[in-house]
């Protein structure tokens, strides 16, 4: 079983919910952007753009595929 993909939906929901609350950003807007950027797949990549929000930088110096760090950085 691929645990990363198995738990991805739960982790993505948590990441987006947390980021929207921390930075007071609409959760619906964040979900819409994440869907457009990666179809809600934290392992998505497009050249140098990586993760849930397809960031071109390492969010907070962490792994760009970490959905929590990616979402927090996008919301900020």
């Amino acid at each position: 079983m691929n645990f990363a993909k198995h738990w991805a939906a739960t982790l993505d929901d948590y990441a987006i919910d947390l980021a929207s609350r921390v930075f007071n950003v609409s959760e619906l807007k964040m979900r819409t952007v994440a869907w457009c950027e990666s179809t809600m797949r934290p392992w998505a990549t497009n050249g140098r753009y990586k993760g849930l929000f397809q960031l071109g930088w390492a969010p907070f110096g962490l792994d760009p595929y970490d959905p929590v760090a990616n979402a927090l950085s996008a919301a900020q």
Side-chain angles (χ1 to χ4, degrees):
M1 172 184 253
N2 185 336
F3 288 103
K5 290 184 180 181
H6 177 75
W7 290 105
T10 303
L11 190 55
D12 297 345
D13 287 339
Y14 169 77
I16 291 173
D17 180 57
L18 175 68
S20 71
R21 290 172 189 259
V22 168
F23 292 104
N24 197 28
V25 176
S26 165
E27 184 176 348
L28 178 60
K29 287 181 183 179
M30 290 195 67
R31 288 186 184 284
T32 302
V33 171
W35 180 261
C36 288
E37 294 294 342
S38 69
T39 59
M40 298 294 286
R41 295 175 300 133
W43 60 87
T45 187
N46 183 10
R48 70 180 190 102
Y49 302 102
K50 298 175 174 84
L52 195 58
F53 287 90
Q54 293 293 285
L55 302 180
W57 63 90
F60 305 109
L62 301 173
D63 184 355
Y65 297 109
D66 177 342
V68 175
N70 202 286
L72 286 168
S73 186
Q76 183 184 27

